[in-house]
Amino acid sequence: MHDWSTVMVAFGLTVFAGGATAIGSAIAFFARRTNYRFLSIALGFSGGVMLYVSFTEILVKSHEALSESHGELWGSWLAVISFFVGIAVIGIIDRLVPKDENPHEPPADARLAELAAAPSAREPSSGGVHNPRLLRMGIVSALAIAIHNFPEGLATFLAALDDPHLGVAIAIAVALHNIPEGISVSVPVYYATGSKRRAFLLSALSGASEPVGALLGWVVLQAFVSPALMGYLFGAVAGIMVFISLDELLPTAREYGRGHDSLYGLVAGMAVMAVSLLLLK
């Protein structure tokens, strides 16, 4: 059983990661120009961190815990099965969101970012709902992000619960990829209603599902916590994070950047994560 201070640190990191959508919303309103190359590198960096820790730390922890409970052979099989179950779960969630309004589709994200970068290109509504389609886009994006953030929140929470240092790295990676999601929610709502407050609150609420996912997951699972259960969960978490990296972060990073920007960010993320883990041993 984990002590209360560890649980609070893990939950705090999850709140930080989910709150990054609000940062994206603020950037959309106050930044005069979006630095796409930096965004591409940052998203690539986030993907590199997630991929590296998934394969070298989280999946390894899953194998160790399950081998301790079920033996080496079955532990290896169960860790791999858990990994692909995690991929299947997040893949099904992703498929439930209509493609044209899925905020994880890079072209849609890029178009919204361009709108945020040049607000003078069109005037937001001065009152009421000027463009119902834009408002619907923002609301659907917020719902889609909230659904995606549930398993992300649980993944961040569980990683931080087992290893706070690892949790910090994952929380930062998740926060980086939540920033453009905040943009994708707030921009259409702002241009549909003319209300920065409404757009900001909707964006922040979409990120709030991350700590909610962590909290609900912990309430449900804490009575059943065992090394074997943690092994299954870590395998699934590794699968979820790999899917997020390959399906969301890297394609979006490629869309925003030029040349090998996303690849440079990816390698840098892996290198920083590798060195950090070595220094913490």
Side-chain angles (χ1 to χ4, degrees):
M1 181 65 67
H2 299 278
D3 63 79
W4 186 243
S5 62
T6 303
V7 173
M8 291 305 295
V9 168
F11 186 72
L13 289 172
T14 309
V15 171
F16 160 74
T21 55
I23 297 174
S25 182
I27 290 173
F29 297 142
F30 301 115
R32 293 179 61 85
R33 184 174 180 274
T34 302
N35 188 329
Y36 292 120
R37 295 195 69 185
F38 174 77
L39 190 55
S40 172
I41 293 171
L43 290 172
F45 184 94
S46 178
V49 168
M50 285 192 177
L51 287 173
Y52 190 88
V53 297
S54 294
F55 287 118
T56 67
E57 290 288 320
I58 301 177
L59 192 56
V60 170
K61 288 178 183 292
S62 172
H63 175 260
E64 290 174 349
L66 292 171
S67 294
E68 184 179 331
S69 303
H70 301 287
E72 181 68 26
L73 178 61
W74 276 108
S76 300
W77 274 97
L78 291 171
V80 170
I81 291 170
S82 300
F83 175 80
F84 285 103
V85 167
I87 289 178
V89 168
I90 192 67
I92 290 170
I93 290 174
D94 201 63
R95 292 289 295 177
L96 292 176
V97 180
K99 182 176 180 181
D100 291 341
E101 289 162 340
N102 190 335
H104 295 143
E105 296 294 330
D109 276 346
R111 285 195 296 272
L112 288 172
E114 287 168 8
L115 185 58
S120 60
R122 59 184 300 172
E123 291 299 320
S125 171
S126 57
V129 178
H130 177 69
N131 191 324
R133 186 175 181 276
L134 269 181
L135 180 62
R136 180 176 181 274
M137 181 189 299
I139 293 173
V140 171
S141 294
L143 289 173
I145 289 168
I147 293 169
H148 281 80
N149 282 355
F150 246 78
E152 288 178 21
L154 184 58
T156 304
F157 180 79
L158 289 175
L161 203 61
D162 186 75
D163 183 347
H165 294 101
L166 182 62
V168 169
I170 293 174
I172 292 172
V174 172
L176 285 172
H177 111 270
N178 279 348
I179 290 174
E181 291 186 351
I183 295 174
S184 72
V185 173
S186 62
V187 170
V189 174
Y190 173 54
Y191 281 96
T193 66
S195 171
K196 288 184 178 181
R197 180 184 178 186
R198 187 173 178 181
F200 182 84
L201 286 176
L202 190 59
S203 177
L205 283 174
S206 69
S209 67
E210 207 144 298
V212 169
L215 184 62
L216 289 179
W218 178 243
V219 168
V220 172
L221 296 173
Q222 65 173 330
F224 309 99
V225 170
S226 67
L229 177 61
M230 292 302 291
Y232 291 124
L233 290 174
F234 277 129
V237 163
I240 289 170
M241 292 180 65
V242 167
F243 185 95
I244 290 169
S245 299
L246 299 179
D247 182 62
E248 301 173 19
L249 298 181
L250 299 183
T252 308
R254 291 282 295 178
E255 184 71 20
Y256 281 131
R258 287 184 280 168
H260 297 297
D261 287 348
S262 58
L263 180 60
Y264 297 149
L266 174 72
V267 174
M270 287 184 170
V272 169
M273 193 70 255
V275 172
S276 300
L277 290 172
L278 287 173
L279 291 175
L280 292 172
K281 289 187 181 298

